[in-house]
Amino acid sequence: MMLFLKSVIALIIATICGAVLSLTGAYLYLSPNLPSVDSLRTVELQIPLRVYSSESMLIEEFGEMRRTPIPFADVPQEFIHALLSAEDDNFANHYGVDPGSLMRAAAQILKSGRIQTGGSTITMQVAKNFFLTSERSFSRKANEILLALQIERELSKEEILELYVNKIYLGNRAYGIEAAANVYYGKSIHELSLAQMAMIAGLPKAPSRYNPIANPARSMERRDWILGRMLKLGRITQEQYEQAINEPLNAKLHIRAPDAYAPYIAEMARLEMVSLYGSNAYTDGLNVITTMSAELQNHAQNAVFNGLTDYDRRHGYRGAEKHVANPEQWLSTLANTRRYNQFLPAIVKQVDTDSIAVLLANGVEQAIPWTSMRWAAPFLSNNSRGATPKKPADVVKVGDLIRVILTDDGSYAFSQVPKIQASLISLNPHSGSIQALVGGVAFEQSHYNRATQAQRQPGSSFKPFIYSAALDAGYTTATLVNDAPIEIFEPGMKEVWRPKNDNDTFLGPIRVREALYRSRNIVSIRILQDIGIPYARQYISRFGLSESSLPPNLSLSLGSASLVPMDLTAAWATFANGGYKIKPYLIDKVYDRNGQNIFQAAPSVTPRQAKLLQQELAANAQEDSVAEVPPINLAEPILDPRTAYLITDVLKDVIKRGTGRRALALNRTDLAGKTGTTNDSFDSWFIGYNYDLLTSVWSGFDQPASLGRHEYGSSISLPIWIDYTRQALADKPMSNQPEPTGLSLLRIDPHSGRVAPPGTPESFFELFKEEDTPPSMEEFDTNFTTPGTIQPSFKQDSYIDLF
C-alpha cells in the first residue's frame, strides 16, 4: 500500500512538474511575441466623426462603428451584474483565467475534437478583442491566456470592465453598451430597465443570434436565462426578477435621426475633414462644429422644397414611376424604392371618385384627397400641359408607384419628385460663414452639390459687376446710355449679333440706375463696349472670379460666364459688406474625443465683424482669465466703399420698382438684390442681401434645358429667396449698409443727367462720388457735341451714345 501511495504521489508530482515545464516552455516561446499590455491604458477606441450645427445639433455621423465610450463610473451596477452573470460570474475572484471554465472547455474538446466555447473570461475576451484575431486555434488560445494574466497584473478590474463594455460588438453597427442602448432602445444605458439591460448583456455571446430585432424569440430566451442567473447568484430579488421577466420585448431599431437635416453641408464637412485628417477622421472621435444655423437651414430646406414643388406642379404630372400589377409584390417594391427628401414612395391600392388609397412602405394604408391631385394635368413639355383632370382615375390607376408628402396638418398629399434642381447659399457677408446651404432637391437622389460643383451662367445677376466697373471708371448712376438696337460684328464671328432686351422693347436714353434695376441688356453691352473688355475682366477678377472664366467678348455683359454658385455668391458679398473680399467657410471648430479644441477657424473678416469678434473674445478672455485676446484677420478691401454703397442703393431699386418687386411683400426697406435669367430660360437666379445676410438662389435642370417660356429668375428663384428671407429675417431689425464719406446728393435733370436747379420739372435726387458729380444744366449747350457720336470722355459728361 505504501508503495502504491508513493507511486501515486510521484505521478502527481511528475504531472505537476510536466505541466509547469510545459507552461513555462509555452510562456518562454510565446512571450516575446506578445504585445505590450501597457498600451491598453492609452488605447483609443474607434469613434465616428460627428458633424454639428453652430448650436451643437447633430447633422450627421460618419464611420462604420456606432460607439459612444463611457467611463466605468457611468455604467449602472445592475448592468454589471447582468453582464457578469452572463459572461463571467467569477470575474471578481480569478486572475484573468478561470480554471473551472477552462476544464469545461477542455472536456468539450475531448468530446468534439475541436475548440467550442473556449472557457474565456472577460479578461481573456479583452485580450482577444484588443490584440488577437477571432481564429480558433490552440496557439491563439495560449496567447489569450498569457495576455489575460498580464492584463490582470497591470490593470484593475474596473479598468478591464471599462475596456470590455466599450469595445464589444453588439449588432447593428453598435460597439459598446452605450451605443447598443441607443440603437435598440433610443436611450442611454443608465435609463434602461433591468430587463433591457439583461437583453443587452446577452448580446456579446452571439450578437446576430440573440439580436432582439432579427431574432426576438431567442433574445427573450437569453434575457430570461440571464435574469434567472442573476436571481440565483443573489444579484436581484425575487420581486425584481418577476417584474423583469414579465416585461414584454420592446426593442426596436433606433437609428438616431439628425437633429438638423443638412445632408449637403454634412458631406462638405466630411470632405474637408478627410482632407485635414485623412482616414483617421472616421475613427478618431472628432466632433465638428460648423457655422450652419440649424434654424436657417430648416428654412432653406423648406423654401427650396416649396419653390421647386410649385414650379413642378405648374408644368404637370409626368406619370407613375412604375406600375406593379401584382399586389403581392407591392411591399417588396416599396421596400426597394428609396425615399427622396420628403417624397415618400407609395402604391395606389384603390381609386375612388373623391380620393385614392395608397400603401406606404411601412404597410400602412393612407387616403389621398382629390383636392391634392387637381394640379396633375399631364406634362407634355415645359411649355404645355394636357387637359385638366376631373377625377382621380384621370391621374392614376391601381398598382401605380407614386410619391406622396406629409403635410403640416398630418395628412398626405399627392406629389412627384421634381426634375428641376436648385441651390441656396446663405452667408454672413462680413466673415463668409455659411449659415445655410442646399445643394439640390434631394441628397438621397443625387449627391451632386449644385452650390459648390455646378457651373452655370449667371445671366443678369452678373450685371452688377459690369456696372461696378463702370462706376469706378467714371460713370455715375445718372449717366444716360442709349437703350436702342445695336449691331455687333467682331473678328471670329460668323454673323452679325443683334442683342435684344428680354421683352424686345427699347427705351431710348436711360439712366444707368434705371438700366440696372430694369435689367436692360443693350445698356449693359454698350457700357462694356465703352469701358473695354480687358479692363472689365481684370476688374471683376478682383472679386475672386477667375479671369480665365470670364469670356473675352461682349457677351460677358449679359452673364455668359460659367460660374460656380458659391464663387458668385462670395463675389457678391463685396457689395453687401461695403467693399471687402471674403472667403466662404463652413467648419468653425473641431474637438477631439476628449473635448479639446484642436482646430479653430480664423477667417478674414470686415472691420465691422472684427469689432463684434473683439468684443466677444474680450468677454470670453475676461471670463476665462486669459491675458491676451487672439488676433483677428482683417479682410482685404478690394472695392471703393462708395461704389459698393451705390451698387447696393441701385439694387434696392430692383426690389422697389424693378424685376424683384415681388420681394416688396417682405415689407423691408433694407433689401437689395438682382434677378438673373439666361438665354431660353436655362438658368434662373436671384441674389439678394441686407447688411447682415446674403443669399443666392439658382434653379435649373442638371442637363441645361429651357425652364419654360414664361419662367424667369423672378418666377422661380425669387419666390424661394423670399420664402427663405421672410423666415431668416423675421423679427430682425432693419440693417442697412452705412453711407460712407465722399458722396454727394444732388438734384438731377432726368433728360440730361446733369445737375438741375430747384424747380426743374421731374427732377430727382441722385447720389454721386464727389469727384464724379456731373456738370450743371447751364453747361449743357457748350459741352454737347454732334449728335450720333460718343462723348470723348464719359468721366466729364453724362451721355453715352445718346442718339
Side-chain angles (χ1 to χ4, degrees):
M1 186 67 179
M2 184 62 69
L3 181 62
F4 175 75
L5 288 175
K6 288 181 178 180
S7 299
V8 169
I9 292 172
L11 179 63
I12 292 172
I13 292 172
T15 301
I16 293 172
C17 290
V20 170
L21 288 172
S22 298
L23 290 172
T24 303
Y27 176 76
L28 291 172
Y29 174 74
L30 295 172
S31 60
N33 298 317
L34 293 177
S36 170
V37 171
D38 191 56
S39 62
L40 290 176
R41 296 186 183 278
T42 57
V43 69
E44 291 194 342
L45 298 170
Q46 291 189 21
I47 305 174
L49 169 68
R50 294 187 174 103
V51 180
Y52 296 89
S53 71
S54 61
E55 307 94 336
S56 295
M57 297 178 68
L58 180 67
I59 299 173
E60 191 55 89
E61 183 178 280
F62 296 100
E64 293 183 6
M65 298 182 179
R66 298 187 179 106
R67 178 183 275 128
T68 305
I70 58 174
F72 178 79
D74 291 346
V75 181
Q77 193 64 41
E78 293 91 340
F79 179 80
I80 293 174
H81 291 324
L83 180 67
L84 296 182
S85 298
E87 294 292 318
D88 189 356
D89 57 24
N90 197 34
F91 177 73
N93 302 315
H94 64 63
Y95 296 97
V97 178
D98 188 345
S101 297
L102 286 177
M103 291 299 292
R104 287 192 296 272
Q108 289 180 344
I109 293 173
L110 290 175
K111 287 182 180 180
S112 64
R114 58 189 177 86
I115 297 176
Q116 292 182 347
T117 60
S120 293
T121 63
I122 280 180
T123 312
M124 290 168 68
Q125 292 182 57
V126 168
K128 181 182 70 174
N129 289 338
F130 280 93
F131 297 118
L132 305 173
T133 68
S134 297
E135 174 195 6
R136 289 181 179 271
S137 68
F138 291 104
S139 62
R140 201 273 295 158
K141 178 59 69 175
N143 278 329
E144 185 180 305
I145 291 171
L146 293 176
L147 279 168
L149 294 172
Q150 282 187 248
I151 290 171
E152 287 278 351
R153 284 199 302 270
E154 299 189 26
L155 300 181
S156 68
K157 291 288 186 180
E158 289 79 6
E159 289 174 317
I160 294 169
L161 274 176
E162 181 176 315
L163 288 168
Y164 181 76
V165 299
N166 286 311
K167 176 73 173 180
I168 50 175
Y169 176 60
L170 299 171
N172 288 295
R173 289 176 53 208
Y175 290 80
I177 60 173
E178 181 69 6
N182 278 283
V183 166
Y184 295 115
Y185 299 106
K187 302 176 182 178
S188 177
I189 187 70
H190 63 80
E191 297 175 303
L192 301 188
S193 67
L194 176 61
Q196 291 169 335
M197 290 183 190
M199 182 76 77
I200 289 178
L203 290 171
K205 184 177 179 64
S208 298
R209 183 172 184 175
Y210 298 120
N211 191 295
I213 307 300
N215 294 298
R218 283 180 176 173
S219 68
M220 286 285 281
E221 291 176 8
R222 177 76 173 160
R223 182 202 75 172
D224 293 348
W225 177 83
I226 291 171
L227 290 169
R229 289 278 298 160
M230 294 177 73
L231 178 64
K232 183 178 179 180
L233 294 170
R235 303 302 186 187
I236 57 174
T237 65
Q238 182 68 35
E239 182 181 356
Q240 288 176 307
Y241 170 77
E242 291 178 0
Q243 182 179 352
I245 205 83
N246 290 317
E247 185 174 309
L249 178 68
N250 53 8
K252 61 180 181 179
L253 211 55
H254 290 79
I255 306 303
R256 181 179 176 183
D259 299 323
Y261 181 76
Y264 289 100
I265 278 185
E267 178 64 6
M268 289 169 63
R270 182 192 71 82
L271 290 171
E272 189 168 345
M273 289 299 291
V274 170
S275 72
L276 289 172
Y277 300 100
S279 60
N280 289 341
Y282 298 119
T283 59
D284 283 359
L286 302 179
N287 294 301
V288 181
I289 308 298
T290 68
T291 60
M292 185 203 89
S293 160
E295 181 182 4
L296 294 187
Q297 180 65 24
N298 184 54
H299 296 324
Q301 291 288 161
N302 290 335
V304 170
F305 175 84
N306 293 334
L308 297 190
T309 300
D310 287 346
Y311 167 87
D312 196 57
R313 291 181 175 184
R314 287 200 298 271
H315 292 269
Y317 180 55
R318 294 184 299 277
E321 293 184 17
K322 67 166 63 173
H323 183 77
V324 186
N326 186 353
E328 295 182 358
Q329 298 177 352
W330 287 355
L331 281 176
S332 62
T333 299
L334 289 170
N336 293 317
T337 303
R338 299 187 69 179
R339 168 179 177 166
Y340 295 145
N341 198 338
Q342 300 180 46
F343 302 97
L344 306 174
I347 289 182
V348 179
K349 189 174 181 181
Q350 183 177 324
V351 179
D352 297 318
T353 57
D354 59 351
S355 67
I356 62 173
V358 300
L359 182 69
L360 300 180
N362 59 6
V364 175
E365 183 178 318
Q366 291 288 344
I368 307 297
W370 164 239
T371 52
S372 75
M373 302 174 66
R374 288 177 174 166
W375 62 269
F379 170 85
L380 300 179
S381 73
N382 286 330
N383 290 316
S384 61
R385 300 190 306 169
T388 302
K390 294 182 171 53
K391 57 185 183 299
D394 294 339
V395 180
V396 297
K397 57 182 179 293
V398 173
D400 280 356
L401 175 64
I402 63 170
R403 297 282 172 167
V404 298
I405 58 174
L406 183 63
T407 62
D408 292 339
D409 63 6
S411 63
Y412 287 83
F414 185 76
S415 191
Q416 70 180 349
V417 181
K419 286 190 177 295
I420 187 176
Q421 293 290 346
S423 75
L424 184 152
I425 304 166
S426 193
L427 303 177
N428 177 337
H430 297 277
S431 67
S433 63
I434 297 173
Q435 302 293 297
L437 183 144
V438 179
V441 68
F443 184 79
E444 303 82 0
Q445 183 185 39
S446 168
H447 293 188
Y448 181 58
N449 190 338
R450 287 98 189 151
T452 60
Q453 295 175 295
Q455 292 198 355
R456 308 298 299 217
Q457 292 185 339
S460 294
S461 67
F462 188 80
K463 289 177 181 175
F465 299 104
I466 301 295
Y467 283 77
S468 177
L471 291 178
D472 277 347
Y475 272 75
T476 74
T477 53
T479 301
L480 291 170
V481 182
N482 200 10
D483 182 21
I486 186 173
E487 293 185 350
I488 297 168
F489 187 82
E490 296 178 336
M493 295 177 61
K494 295 181 179 179
E495 57 185 22
V496 173
W497 179 34
R498 296 181 179 87
K500 303 176 183 177
N501 292 312
D502 65 347
N503 53 8
D504 286 340
T505 62
F506 301 95
L507 303 178
I510 185 174
R511 289 177 294 122
V512 161
R513 174 183 289 274
E514 186 176 1
L516 179 52
Y517 78 66
R518 297 183 68 167
S519 201
R520 307 303 289 179
N521 291 339
I522 302 301
V523 174
S524 299
I525 294 170
R526 289 189 187 276
I527 288 175
L528 179 58
Q529 194 177 41
D530 195 39
I531 63 176
I533 295 170
Y535 159 72
R537 293 176 74 222
Q538 184 278 327
Y539 177 95
I540 295 169
S541 68
R542 288 158 37 192
F543 290 80
L545 300 175
S546 170
E547 189 170 344
S548 62
S549 69
L550 306 176
N553 54 58
L554 291 174
S555 71
L556 176 65
S557 65
L558 305 183
S560 63
S562 291
L563 302 174
V564 176
M566 182 66 81
D567 295 340
L568 181 63
T569 309
W572 263 71
T574 301
F575 298 135
N577 64 34
Y580 296 88
K581 183 179 181 179
I582 59 93
K583 182 179 180 181
Y585 74 102
L586 177 63
I587 294 181
D588 184 30
K589 300 180 182 71
V590 178
Y591 294 96
D592 66 13
R593 64 176 64 221
N594 300 313
Q596 296 298 310
N597 189 338
I598 60 174
F599 173 84
Q600 174 67 61
S604 296
V605 300
T606 65
R608 175 196 190 246
Q609 188 73 13
K611 183 177 181 180
L612 295 174
L613 286 174
Q614 284 172 339
Q615 293 172 351
E616 180 182 341
L617 291 171
N620 291 340
Q622 185 175 6
E623 184 177 319
D624 299 336
S625 301
V626 177
E628 295 184 5
V629 176
I632 295 173
N633 300 319
L634 286 177
E636 176 189 2
I638 60 169
L639 184 64
D640 185 332
R642 297 174 301 170
T643 303
Y645 185 86
L646 289 170
I647 289 293
T648 297
D649 193 55
V650 176
L651 293 178
K652 285 183 177 182
D653 278 348
V654 171
I655 291 174
K656 292 175 185 175
R657 53 181 66 89
T659 56
R661 284 188 299 275
R662 286 189 180 191
L664 289 172
L666 296 176
N667 294 317
R668 298 186 68 100
T669 59
D670 59 342
L671 299 176
K674 184 72 184 73
T675 54
T677 309
T678 59
N679 282 346
D680 299 317
S681 296
F682 277 23
D683 298 275
S684 162
W685 292 83
F686 190 82
I687 307 178
Y689 58 89
N690 70 357
Y691 199 42
D692 293 330
L693 192 68
L694 164 69
T695 304
S696 73
V697 177
W698 164 85
S699 306
F701 296 109
D702 283 340
Q703 296 299 320
S706 175
L707 292 162
R709 266 193 304 267
H710 305 294
E711 298 289 3
Y712 306 97
S714 60
S715 64
I716 307 175
S717 294
L718 176 56
I720 294 173
W721 185 89
I722 292 171
D723 192 2
Y724 169 75
T725 303
R726 176 182 288 111
Q727 301 296 326
L729 297 182
D731 303 321
K732 298 286 189 348
M734 299 293 174
S735 182
N736 287 291
Q737 194 174 126
E739 182 177 330
T741 58
L743 292 174
S744 296
L745 185 65
L746 302 174
R747 184 185 294 274
I748 299 299
D749 173 66
H751 304 294
S752 66
R754 296 183 174 230
V755 177
T760 303
E762 301 177 345
S763 62
F764 57 89
F765 285 98
E766 185 58 90
L767 280 169
F768 299 91
K769 296 178 186 177
E770 289 180 347
E771 69 271 23
D772 289 334
T773 54
S776 65
M777 285 289 292
E778 286 77 6
E779 302 174 73
F780 179 79
D781 293 331
T782 59
N783 282 350
F784 187 65
T785 60
T786 306
T789 64
I790 300 179
Q791 298 306 300
S793 172
F794 52 76
K795 290 186 178 182
Q796 298 173 2
D797 216 324
S798 301
Y799 294 91
I800 300 299
D801 197 14
L802 182 55
F803 296 105

